[in-house]
Amino acid sequence: MLKINQNYLNLKDSYLFSTVARKVSEYTSKNPGKRVIRMGIGDVTLPLCEAVTEALHTAVDEMSGAETFRGYGPEQGYDFLRAAIRDYYARRGVELGEDEVFVSDGAKSDTGNILDIFSRENTVLIPNPVYPVYLDTNIMDGRQIKFMNAGEHNGFLPLPDESLKADIIYLCSPNNPTGAVYDRESLGKWVAFAKANGSIILFDAAYEAFVSDPNLPRSIFEIEGARECAIEFGSLSKTAGFTGLRCGYVVLPRTVKFQEKELGALWLRRQTTKFNGTAYIIQRAAAAVFSPEGQEQTGRQLAYYRENAGIITQALSELGVWHTGGAHSPYVWLKCPGGMSSWDYFDFLLENANVVGTPGAGFGSGGEGYFRLTAFGEKQATIEAMRRVKETFR
Ligand code: MLT
């Protein structure tokens, strides 16, 4: 008889953002007249910029002409996009080889799929709280998981120590959900720790474009030694509004070798077997993001979201609510007022302000008592949401 993957029984019933969406939909169907403002899942609201839509139109036209039509593309991405991503890194002083960039349909799939190339016997170290995909995908594989506590005591940026030895180490900077960003010195400590213990760092850089301080690293490959022990995950979802288009990339240097094997070769083998590449049209759109016009236009979108983050943090400061993030991140992380639990505050805000956020506990036990608001909404809606949040304090 068929046996199911028993590890799935160890997962929570539903994925964090599905639970949030279900609760909101239950609330709106019971209260049809209420105008709910969504600041929960980090989904963008600005439309695609002109450089991207022009590239999409051109690519669609190409696909409709017999001479320019494309079928299967290279699984690791077209050269034009891989070159554009390498140039993007080179502009920040990170030189990558031609075969060190792998294009995909997003960082969520990549961070989950990369686990295929690692033994299930490996131990895993995951920040707590953090983006829930790292934990859930490792539970699915049945790996042994250790947590590193991120809290106010360490600025939500845990550093390595001997008790944290593990084979696979997840880092996310700027962090989802807290918005905290590692500086070069701290990342250097992680790289030295990984090298000393024969570990790999899986570095989620999905929010790197929000870093506005040039002294803060946006890629782990800005750190010496990382080319031997790290894999980086990039995404255009938040940078360029690709949450619906889907495009991301993995940077895996050829120098990352374990048991004398290049991990890049294993990843290529995995991708060529299980993935048929990102759509040509989407890759053309992605390449446009890295063009000078695309950088300028998406830069304006990032500035818009940053302004929203400023509106949120200012309101919280006025209320005297402890918060962090928002400066180099689209997420603002706050302490639930009155000692409320994360889910209680979620219900409270939904019912009393018709504002949706994400309960910190959904990112791990370390997030209990905290709450995340995103700056990806429309500006007027963000202003209105914070006005309503202020009202709840009166
Ligand atoms: C989030 O809200 O944390 C993200 O939008 C989820 C994701 O990128 O998958």
Side-chain angles (χ1 to χ4, degrees):
M1 193 163 92
L2 174 88
K3 291 200 179 101
I4 59 164
N5 179 346
Q6 290 285 326
N7 297 321
Y8 275 63
L9 308 183
N10 299 325
L11 291 164
K12 291 215 175 90
D13 276 353
S14 112
Y15 180 59
L16 171 64
F17 295 107
S18 318
T19 310
V20 169
R22 181 182 45 75
K23 279 182 154 260
V24 175
S25 121
E26 277 165 18
Y27 180 80
T28 49
S29 56
K30 276 191 212 137
N31 301 277
K34 304 275 191 198
R35 197 187 141 230
V36 170
I37 302 179
R38 291 160 204 268
M39 299 167 84
I41 190 164
D43 198 1
V44 289
T45 49
L46 288 176
L48 298 168
C49 69
E50 220 179 297
V52 167
T53 50
E54 266 173 25
L56 282 168
H57 284 298
T58 309
V60 168
D61 288 344
E62 281 182 72
M63 293 297 271
S64 63
E67 316 266 275
T68 44
F69 169 77
R70 316 257 180 151
Y72 289 126
E75 292 90 344
Q76 63 275 45
Y78 283 100
D79 286 346
F80 63 80
L81 177 55
R82 301 172 83 201
I85 295 170
R86 284 170 48 226
D87 283 353
Y88 179 66
Y89 274 79
R91 292 201 284 275
R92 283 182 275 132
V94 177
E95 298 294 335
L96 299 173
E98 259 171 46
D99 43 9
E100 295 182 337
V101 175
F102 302 77
V103 174
S104 71
D105 63 352
K108 183 181 190 174
S109 357
D110 283 337
T111 48
N113 293 336
I114 197 78
L115 294 174
D116 276 8
I117 68 170
F118 301 121
S119 160
R120 292 179 181 201
E121 284 163 26
N122 287 310
T123 53
V124 181
L125 180 65
I126 299 181
N128 179 14
V130 85
Y131 184 42
V133 169
Y134 317 150
L135 174 64
D136 285 0
T137 50
N138 277 290
I139 291 178
M140 286 171 180
D141 279 0
R143 283 194 190 81
Q144 198 197 321
I145 298 161
K146 273 189 192 176
F147 294 98
M148 48 173 148
N149 292 326
E152 286 177 52
H153 63 284
N154 56 15
F156 288 94
L157 293 168
L159 288 174
D161 69 49
E162 288 304 295
S163 70
L164 297 179
K165 276 188 191 171
D167 303 309
I168 301 173
I169 300 169
Y170 285 86
L171 297 178
C172 178
S173 177
N175 183 270
N176 179 10
T178 66
V181 190
Y182 278 111
D183 61 16
R184 290 203 159 75
E185 194 192 338
S186 308
L187 272 192
K189 288 183 184 160
W190 277 112
V191 167
F193 181 73
K195 286 180 71 172
N197 296 306
S199 317
I200 186 87
I201 295 176
L202 302 183
F203 189 78
D204 188 345
Y207 299 93
E208 55 81 20
F210 287 86
V211 173
S212 47
D213 178 349
N215 294 318
L216 291 171
R218 287 169 57 177
S219 163
I220 194 154
F221 298 117
E222 291 175 38
I223 309 301
E224 211 186 312
R227 284 187 59 89
E228 280 93 62
C229 64
I231 303 177
E232 181 157 299
F233 301 88
S235 166
L236 295 185
S237 286
K238 319 296 157 97
T239 311
F242 273 52
T243 49
L245 288 187
R246 310 303 311 152
C247 192
Y249 51 88
V250 167
V251 177
L252 210 176
R254 296 200 58 177
T255 37
V256 181
K257 291 184 191 162
F258 287 81
Q259 294 179 288
E260 287 156 34
K261 292 269 177 269
E262 283 182 25
L263 292 193
L266 302 188
W267 180 237
L268 181 63
R269 189 69 179 83
R270 191 264 172 216
Q271 291 296 77
T272 47
T273 306
K274 292 195 181 181
F275 182 58
N276 255 340
T278 306
Y280 172 71
I281 297 168
I282 304 300
Q283 292 197 51
R284 278 294 180 197
V289 171
F290 298 105
S291 69
E293 304 74 39
Q295 286 293 287
E296 199 265 316
Q297 292 165 13
T298 52
R300 269 189 268 138
Q301 299 187 328
L302 294 173
Y304 177 94
Y305 294 134
R306 266 194 209 107
E307 202 182 326
N308 283 347
I311 292 166
I312 299 170
T313 52
Q314 189 181 333
L316 295 173
S317 301
E318 282 168 24
L319 291 167
V321 173
W322 184 95
H323 61 277
T324 184
H328 306 290
S329 150
Y331 298 128
V332 179
W333 182 246
L334 58 115
K335 202 167 197 159
C336 300
M340 260 191 251
S341 78
S342 302
W343 281 106
D344 282 352
Y345 192 54
F346 173 88
D347 290 333
F348 174 85
L349 264 198
L350 181 58
E351 280 156 29
N352 294 286
N354 298 151
V355 170
V356 181
T358 311
F363 298 96
S365 57
E368 181 54 281
Y370 295 88
F371 201 73
R372 193 193 77 174
L373 291 174
T374 95
F376 283 124
E378 285 150 16
K379 183 174 170 186
Q380 285 315 316
T382 306
I383 293 172
E384 170 61 12
M386 296 321 289
R387 189 195 64 74
R388 294 187 197 171
V389 169
K390 279 186 185 169
E391 281 293 306
T392 64
F393 278 77
R394 295 226 166 90

